[in-house]
Amino acid sequence: MLTNLEHLGLAVHDLEAATALYTTLLGTAPYKKEHVASEAVDTVFFRVGGSKIELLAGTSPDSAITRFLAKKPEGIHHVAFEVDNIRAEMARLKEAGFVLLNDEPKPGADNKLVCFVHPKSAAGVLVELCQSVI
Ligand code: CO
């Protein structure tokens, strides 16, 4: 089962500028900055109540964020839902006909195991499943 709306992932060109903007907008400083080498992204996380905002900037031309921003304006890149058992949810969604972008859970930002669901099978929205790893 998908539980919490864990975070919204926002693709930005200038991470420093976007961090300053969101610090003012949300009225709070980010709690984490993290480079995710496997995705070639720099991330900045803000807490908003029980949810989070993840700012993402690509660090290489191959980054999914760099490619996204080559085609689209800055904005919402993905919607992430917390799951208790990512493998069980991946199997359930695959069985239900959703297209998963990875066959195995992979390490994501902020101490998570993640799997992405292709936007073409999720009404145009890139969906991230994430499970906390302690
Ligand atoms: Co995310």
Side-chain angles (χ1 to χ4, degrees), residues 24-85:
T24 304
L25 186 115
L26 299 173
T28 187
Y31 70 91
K32 178 182 272 194
K33 297 182 182 190
E34 183 180 353
H35 177 65
V36 184
S38 60
E39 303 288 328
V41 293
D42 282 330
T43 66
V44 171
F45 283 88
F46 295 85
R47 290 189 201 286
V48 189
S51 193
K52 298 166 187 165
I53 294 290
E54 174 185 29
L55 303 179
L56 301 129
T59 58
S60 101
D62 300 335
S63 165
I65 298 301
T66 307
R67 286 187 274 120
F68 177 87
L69 288 174
K71 292 180 291 185
K72 295 177 181 170
E74 290 185 308
I76 294 178
H77 176 260
H78 64 269
V79 176
F81 296 97
E82 180 96 47
V83 297
D84 292 331
N85 182 335

Side-chain angles (χ1 to χ4, degrees), residues 7-9 45 54 56 78 80 109 114 116 128:
H7 62 269
L8 287 180
F45 283 88
E54 174 185 29
L56 301 129
H78 64 269
V114 304
F116 287 94
E128 174 186 342

